[in-house]
């Protein structure tokens, strides 16, 4: 069963010798500080690997004569999943035109600036999209842009790693491996208490790195794809 935010926080409190809590109160300054540490470590872990539990596939609808569609459910920290194809010696993004579900067509990724350039020099072309780019410049909104501009409605399937939002609700389930999250937060807590130069803090930092490496190795092996790349 998945670990909740409150359960993870209590495991941290236990590790550093503090009393566990029944709820996360805004008035409890120390618990809130640990919560900030926990969320910071969570983001580090989420960014370190394409975790299987964070992968989501979105079906994005691009309307006729439109170039842009919002990837609903993605956030500003979402990133494309790419796989390495040995026969091409390159990364291939998992982005397909699935309007015809029997014959999905892979789209070619280009820089956003190049896509704007193609649109500017040939704005009237209307045909099935061949190229795409991801635009996350609008804060928390992530948009898919395609070229050429389609004359009919298209469904584009995009697979991304989407990290969880910052944890605030005590009952929120955590998707990433819990052990490196707990150990890493305890390490931060020991540093905050002034023990960063002591044996205990050094051991905690080492434990965090080892726990994270172990979790990444297990997750990669279970996915059966150790060549998968994290780059955006």
């Amino acid at each position: 069963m998945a670990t909740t935010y409150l359960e993870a926080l209590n495991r941290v409190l236990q590790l550093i010798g503090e009393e566990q809590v029944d709820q996360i109160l805004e008035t409890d300054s120390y618990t809130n500080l640990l919560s900030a540490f926990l969320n910071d470590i969570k983001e580090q872990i989420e960014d370190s690997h394409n975790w299987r539990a964070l992968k989501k596939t979105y079906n994005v609808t691009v309307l006729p004569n439109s170039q842009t569609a919002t990837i609903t459910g993605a956030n500003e920290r979402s990133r494309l999943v790419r796989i390495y194809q040995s026969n091409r010696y390159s990364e291939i993004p998992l982005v397909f035109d699935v309007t015809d579900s029997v014959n999905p067509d892979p789209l070619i990724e280009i820089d956003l600036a190049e896509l704007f350039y193609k649109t500017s020099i040939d704005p009237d072309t209307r045909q099935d999209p061949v190229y795409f780019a991801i635009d996350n410049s609008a804060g928390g909104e992530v948009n898919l842009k395609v070229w050429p501009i389609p004359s009919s409605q298209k469904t584009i399937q995009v697979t991304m790693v989407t990290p969880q939002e910052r944890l605030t609700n005590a009952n929120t389930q955590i998707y990433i491996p819990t052990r490196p999250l707990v150990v890493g937060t305890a390490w931060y807590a020991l540093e905050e208490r002034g023990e960063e130069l002591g044996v205990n803090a050094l051991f905690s930092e080492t434990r965090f790195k080892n726990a994270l490496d172990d979790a990444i190795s297990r997750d990669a092996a279970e996915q059966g794809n150790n060549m998968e790349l994290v780059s955006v």
Side-chain angles (χ1 to χ4, degrees):
M1 186 174 67
T3 302
T4 66
Y5 173 32
L6 178 60
E7 289 170 341
L9 192 61
N10 274 325
R11 285 176 59 181
V12 173
L13 289 166
Q14 184 180 34
L15 270 181
I16 63 176
E18 296 287 345
E19 186 176 348
Q20 298 184 44
V21 297
D22 296 325
Q23 55 186 322
I24 301 173
L25 299 174
E26 293 183 3
T27 55
D28 187 337
S29 58
Y30 188 64
T31 301
N32 285 318
L33 178 62
L34 290 182
S35 297
F37 291 161
L38 189 144
N39 273 290
D40 190 23
I41 289 289
K42 179 184 79 71
E43 292 181 0
Q44 289 187 47
I45 295 171
E46 288 169 335
D47 291 342
S48 67
H49 174 64
N50 280 346
W51 300 101
R52 178 177 53 175
L54 299 182
K55 289 181 181 177
K56 296 182 179 180
T57 297
Y58 305 96
N59 285 330
V60 183
T61 300
V62 182
L63 297 176
N65 302 309
S66 177
Q67 185 177 33
T68 303
T70 299
I71 306 177
T72 303
N75 60 47
E76 62 183 350
R77 296 180 56 228
S78 296
R79 58 182 180 267
L80 280 173
V81 174
R82 300 176 176 87
I83 60 172
Y84 183 82
Q85 283 199 339
S86 57
N87 59 327
R88 297 186 183 182
Y89 301 100
S90 63
E91 304 169 52
I92 305 298
L94 300 184
V95 178
F96 302 89
D97 182 345
V98 295
T99 308
D100 179 357
S101 60
V102 178
N103 297 295
D105 289 324
L107 298 188
I108 300 171
E109 184 178 12
I110 58 175
D111 290 339
L112 188 59
E114 184 178 356
L115 188 142
F116 287 150
Y117 175 76
K118 289 180 179 293
T119 304
S120 297
I121 64 173
D122 194 1
D124 298 323
T125 297
R126 295 292 185 271
Q127 64 186 55
D128 291 346
V130 176
Y131 302 98
F132 82 93
I134 299 294
D135 181 9
N136 63 352
S137 60
E141 184 174 280
V142 182
N143 293 316
L144 172 75
K145 292 184 178 293
V146 298
W147 193 88
I149 298 172
S151 58
S152 60
Q153 181 172 302
K154 296 295 179 180
T155 300
I156 310 299
Q157 187 178 86
V158 182
T159 300
M160 307 186 82
V161 169
T162 297
Q164 288 181 270
E165 300 288 352
R166 288 185 70 84
L167 302 171
T168 57
N169 188 309
N171 296 318
T172 300
Q173 293 188 340
I174 298 172
Y175 297 152
I176 57 171
T178 309
R179 185 168 182 272
L181 176 64
V182 169
V183 173
T185 305
W187 164 41
Y188 270 29
L190 289 171
E191 288 199 335
E192 189 277 333
R193 293 202 308 206
E195 300 178 26
E196 68 275 8
L197 299 180
V199 175
N200 288 338
L202 179 61
F203 181 53
S204 295
E205 180 180 4
T206 302
R207 288 180 65 194
F208 168 63
K209 292 178 178 179
N210 290 341
L212 180 57
D213 287 345
D214 290 345
I216 289 174
S217 296
R218 285 193 301 271
D219 194 75
E222 288 168 359
Q223 293 185 61
N225 183 10
N226 291 319
M227 293 299 294
E228 188 175 289
L229 301 173
V230 174
S231 57
V232 178

